[in-house]
Amino acid sequence: METQLLTHAYQAGKYALPPLPYPADALTPYLDEATVLLHHDKHHAAYVAGANDAADTLRRIAQGDASPSLAPAATLSLAFNLSGHILHTLYWENMAPPPQEGPGGELADAMAATFDSLDGFQRVFRAATMAVQGSGWGILGVEPASRRLVVCAVQKHQDALIPGLKPLLVCDVWEHAYYLHYRNNRSSYLDAFFALINWEVVASRFRSYCHGYA
Ligand code: MN3
């Protein structure tokens, strides 16, 4: 089944918080229920609310009902909150309870072409993601020039990535994603994340995006 790319993240004219694709305790012992609930119900929900507020302000400016002087702050707020909303939606969906099978099909070929092997991908992804500071992410995506896979480390998620980059797999490394359980041990959290990767969803995104480039 192909993934519906983010269609559930916007409903009836508003950004919406999609429910978790599994019970909140389904990822234990890799990710504990308290971390998942706090992260989804508070942090992710706050991005959704912030994105709607910012979009509403920009709409009112466009309609002449709010001062254009609000636009710079509103555009920054929309970039921050909407980036957070999109990345968190991708994050929940690209995990699933273990055991997970590794990548297959076209995605496996693309991974081999760029990273040589799954171990090679994990080596690059871990090294890039371990170094991220603050509100950051590790991202595996397809870049539009070569249409090959690329790993990005994002320090501030509202900053532009490679323009046109299509994210396939994202890992939140802001401390709220792991600190309750793993404290400052990001490497152990990344071990857990690798065990939770839903490669079927990643492969589905890969197929959808590559067809988009055709
Ligand atoms: Mn987060």
Side-chain angles (χ1 to χ4, degrees):
M1 195 179 80
E2 295 300 321
T3 304
Q4 296 273 303
L5 288 168
L6 293 172
T7 50
H8 52 307
Y10 189 79
Q11 304 266 327
K14 280 194 165 304
Y15 298 110
L17 180 66
L20 287 167
Y22 30 72
D25 62 356
L27 304 181
T28 53
Y30 298 93
L31 273 185
D32 62 291
E33 182 177 13
T35 297
V36 169
L37 280 178
L38 190 67
H39 197 178
H40 178 267
D41 295 358
K42 301 296 182 190
H43 291 274
H44 188 171
Y47 289 116
V48 174
N52 280 320
D53 282 352
D56 186 56
T57 299
L58 291 166
R59 199 175 299 118
R60 286 188 294 110
I61 293 168
Q63 292 166 346
D65 294 333
S67 168
S69 68
L70 299 174
T75 52
L76 289 174
S77 175
L78 185 67
F80 175 75
N81 286 294
L82 183 53
S83 297
H85 176 33
I86 290 169
L87 285 163
H88 283 85
T89 302
L90 295 169
Y91 173 71
W92 299 123
E93 287 182 356
N94 64 218
M95 294 188 290
Q100 295 294 326
E101 292 200 3
E106 290 173 278
L107 176 62
D109 296 341
M111 301 270 298
T114 298
F115 303 112
D116 191 54
S117 63
L118 184 58
D119 279 351
F121 157 70
Q122 290 194 356
R123 207 170 293 127
V124 173
F125 194 88
R126 178 189 298 275
T129 306
M130 281 296 290
V132 170
Q133 297 170 344
S135 57
W137 296 74
I139 298 177
L140 169 71
V142 184
E143 62 89 353
S146 69
R147 302 180 187 187
R148 285 169 67 100
L149 298 177
V150 63
V151 164
C152 299
V154 180
Q155 302 285 353
K156 292 169 68 180
H157 67 207
Q158 68 271 38
D159 289 353
L161 310 171
I162 296 166
L165 179 86
K166 305 293 190 184
L168 304 180
L169 171 70
V170 305
C171 179
D172 191 347
V173 291
W174 204 343
E175 288 175 349
H176 65 230
Y178 62 91
Y179 219 81
L180 277 182
H181 186 78
Y182 290 102
R183 301 292 172 176
N184 59 340
N185 193 345
R186 186 181 293 178
S187 186
S188 292
Y189 164 66
L190 287 172
D191 288 340
F193 178 77
F194 286 137
L196 295 172
I197 292 173
N198 187 337
W199 287 106
E200 214 171 301
V201 163
V202 177
S204 173
R205 290 174 186 163
F206 182 67
R207 285 193 297 273
S208 302
Y209 285 142
C210 285
H211 296 159
Y213 284 135

